[in-house]
Amino acid sequence: MKSDINKRDGKRDGKRSIPSQVILGAFVIGMGVLFLLDNLDIFDFHRAVAFWPAAFILFGVIKLLDTQSPNGALVGAILIGVGAVMTINRLGFMHINMRALWPLLIIFLGAAVICKAVTGRRMLGMQSKDDDATDAVVDITAILGGFDRRITTPAFRGGEVTAVMGGCMLDLRGSSIEGEAVLNVFALMGGITLKVPPDWTVALNGTPIMGGFDEKTITAPHNNKRLVIRGYAIMGGVEVRN
């Protein structure tokens, strides 16, 4: 039963990731068109390069479309907010002193801690009937820092791991899977390392953007335990090893 549920969840995740890939593809096409117009002396692309902070808005939208957790939504909102403020400043509509706005980072981090605490207690209350359920689905976020966690559960179902200018290490070697589990990853100028048992089959379906996905695992003896990894590595890296 759990295997069927995981498969259905995986299909929903696949459908959910399509809009973000469409947005990313449209962005790449747009960049190509701008470079072409610059080479044809129709448009001076060098002026548009000055508005590179708009990339943060793009990354934030991608995160919002792919996330299924409040922490992920908060990270997406932060990226969009940072990109919007920096872009407005460069457009000259507002003269914003970035040094005066640095306390906003502390406010965002405090909001993330509160959000994590509230949602964590809610999940514990919903899953109190199962002692191992708290580790079955993970929701890990590291911003400007590191996170190291060991998971031991007989029925890992996946979850979400986010690293923004930080690092996450998730040790799953003491866990098992009933059928298939889906793990969404998002590494922006950061790194995510996953350690999995040797009897797990790993399927990497991520999208690297000036980053990389690296699998260093041995071939599993069977295919009845499958971990599907989806998401993005933007100027960062995701490594899976056993």
Side-chain angles (χ1 to χ4, degrees):
M1 179 66 70
K2 290 184 178 180
S3 177
D4 295 336
I5 294 175
N6 288 333
K7 290 180 179 179
R8 289 196 296 268
D9 290 341
K11 292 179 180 179
R12 285 196 295 267
D13 290 340
K15 293 179 180 179
R16 188 182 180 85
S17 64
I18 291 177
S20 62
Q21 293 176 356
V22 171
I23 292 175
L24 179 61
F27 177 78
V28 174
I29 293 174
M31 293 292 292
V33 171
L34 290 175
F35 277 116
L36 177 61
L37 294 177
D38 182 63
N39 291 336
L40 295 175
D41 295 327
I42 299 176
F43 176 76
D44 186 4
F45 181 65
H46 295 88
R47 291 181 298 175
V49 173
F51 301 102
W52 62 265
F56 283 103
I57 300 177
L58 172 68
F59 300 150
V61 171
I62 290 175
K63 179 60 181 175
L64 286 177
L65 290 174
D66 276 350
T67 189
Q68 296 180 350
S69 71
N71 288 331
L74 181 61
V75 171
I78 291 174
L79 293 175
I80 292 175
V82 170
V85 170
M86 296 179 69
T87 301
I88 291 174
N89 190 36
R90 287 179 174 269
L91 286 173
F93 293 119
M94 296 176 60
H95 295 287
I96 303 172
N97 186 355
M98 301 304 297
R99 293 179 59 187
L101 295 179
W102 68 265
L104 286 177
L105 178 61
I106 299 178
I107 296 174
F108 282 136
L109 293 178
V113 172
I114 294 174
C115 183
K116 182 71 174 179
V118 173
T119 56
R121 289 181 180 180
R122 190 175 302 165
M123 289 179 64
L124 286 173
M126 294 172 58
Q127 300 173 346
S128 59
K129 295 182 180 180
D130 188 352
D131 294 336
D132 295 316
T134 55
D135 282 340
V137 178
V138 297
D139 184 9
I140 298 173
T141 302
I143 303 176
L144 298 174
F147 195 103
D148 190 341
R149 183 175 177 183
R150 183 188 299 271
I151 301 295
T152 57
T153 174
F156 181 71
R157 299 202 304 271
E160 191 167 321
V161 181
T162 301
V164 179
M165 290 182 285
C168 289
M169 199 284 288
L170 188 62
D171 190 347
L172 297 164
R173 291 175 296 180
S175 302
S176 184
I177 292 178
E178 295 181 0
E180 180 178 289
V182 178
L183 186 66
N184 291 318
V185 297
F186 184 83
L188 174 61
M189 292 183 284
I192 298 175
T193 300
L194 306 172
K195 298 180 180 180
V196 300
D199 61 340
W200 286 15
T201 298
V202 177
L204 281 179
N205 297 331
T207 301
I209 305 173
M210 292 185 289
F213 283 81
D214 190 10
E215 181 185 354
K216 299 178 180 178
T217 62
I218 61 175
T219 303
H222 44 71
N223 196 30
N224 57 358
K225 297 179 181 180
R226 189 167 183 262
L227 177 64
V228 179
I229 299 175
R230 298 172 178 163
Y232 296 87
I234 305 171
M235 293 178 285
V238 176
E239 181 184 71
V240 186
R241 53 192 173 93
N242 55 18

